[in-house]
Structures are given as structure tokens and as C-alpha cells.
Amino acid sequence: MAEQESPDRTDHNITLDADDDRWEWRRRIRANPKKHLIYRIVVGVVGGVLIIAAPLTGWLPGPGGIPLFIAGLAILASEFEWAQRLLYRVKDWVKVLTTWTGKQPAWLKTLGTIALFCCVLVAIWLYMAVLGVPGWLPDSWESFLHKLPLLP
């Protein structure tokens, strides 16, 4: 099969037809209307669950729900046109943000990195203040963390 071009964003029907799909298993599913309906329902449920889980895990240290949201949106975009359009908007926004960030001076990038690192440390500290110090940490770490304020 020839290398596929990126979808035309001006086309109102950007979902691939059965003949245009690059994966054989999905071509077979799309060719059968009943299987395709079941497949769309499964894709919708899996993508929806990931998007719903994103804000529920957003409070966790680290990137939180951002990867879950993007994964859910990508799964939905594999089958639904509205999700493809939204995914393209998110990709364009990330590209603009990345370009803007790249143009900033080194001192500002460093300051931003330090601020992000401090936010992650504060989030971890708040997490342990609410739920306690995990017992699986090495004893030396636990004894150090118990000396910090608000950590039991």
C-alpha cells in the first residue's frame, strides 16, 4: 500500500472510508455495518472513559490527566469527525505554544523549569500531607519526610 497523506482538513468528511483505511482489520470492520456500529460504540466508550478519568487523576503529581485526555481524544478521533477536528485544534495549539516557548530567552525558560519543579514538589508534599508518607519508601527517606511540616 502506498504511503498515506495526511487528511485534508478542509474536507467535511475526514473520517476514512473502509477502502481508505490503512489497517486491514479495521477495513474489514468498516465494511460490515453491524460490526462497524459495535466498533464505534466500543471506541466511544473507551475514549469517553479516558477523557472522564483525566480530571479525576489531574490532582496526582506529574502530568496528571493530560496524557489520559490526549489518549482518549486520539481514540475518539480514530472514529469520530468532531474528535478529529478537536484533536487538530489541540495539536495546533500545542504547536503554537511550543513555538512561543522556543522563542523565549534562556533565563525565562530556566525560571519556568524551576517554577514547574517547585509546583511538582509542593503537589507531592500536599499529597503526602493528606494521605501520609508512603510506607514503601526507604527508612532514611521516611525519617526525613516525617521531619517536614504537616507530614505525620
Side-chain angles (χ1 to χ4, degrees), residues 84-117:
Q84 279 187 350
R85 286 191 290 274
L86 182 59
L87 184 62
Y88 287 140
R89 278 194 218 145
V90 169
K91 284 181 178 181
D92 290 342
W93 178 76
V94 168
K95 199 177 294 181
V96 166
L97 185 63
T98 303
T99 303
W100 177 83
T101 305
K103 293 178 182 177
Q104 301 309 310
W107 69 268
L108 188 59
K109 291 179 192 177
T110 304
L111 186 63
T113 302
I114 292 169
L116 179 63
F117 182 71

Side-chain angles (χ1 to χ4, degrees), residues 95-143:
K95 199 177 294 181
V96 166
L97 185 63
T98 303
T99 303
W100 177 83
T101 305
K103 293 178 182 177
Q104 301 309 310
W107 69 268
L108 188 59
K109 291 179 192 177
T110 304
L111 186 63
T113 302
I114 292 169
L116 179 63
F117 182 71
C118 290
C119 287
V120 169
L121 287 178
V122 167
I124 292 170
W125 176 72
L126 288 171
Y127 175 83
M128 288 189 292
V130 172
L131 298 177
V133 177
W136 49 265
L137 289 174
D139 291 338
S140 59
W141 289 25
E142 278 190 59
S143 62

Side-chain angles (χ1 to χ4, degrees), residues 11-92:
D11 183 10
H12 293 292
N13 183 15
I14 55 179
T15 300
L16 296 174
D17 297 322
D19 298 335
D20 298 332
D21 205 322
R22 63 181 165 169
W23 290 316
E24 175 65 30
W25 64 270
R26 222 163 62 175
R27 273 197 301 269
R28 287 193 308 265
I29 290 173
R30 288 176 192 246
N32 182 330
K34 287 184 180 180
K35 286 182 182 177
H36 191 215
L37 176 63
I38 293 170
Y39 177 72
R40 284 176 63 94
I41 291 170
V42 169
V43 166
V45 168
V46 170
V49 165
L50 289 175
I51 287 178
I52 290 169
L56 300 176
T57 60
W59 58 273
L60 293 173
I66 296 170
L68 287 178
F69 177 80
I70 293 172
L73 188 57
I75 289 170
L76 290 172
S78 73
E79 197 58 36
F80 299 101
E81 294 174 25
W82 63 267
Q84 279 187 350
R85 286 191 290 274
L86 182 59
L87 184 62
Y88 287 140
R89 278 194 218 145
V90 169
K91 284 181 178 181
D92 290 342

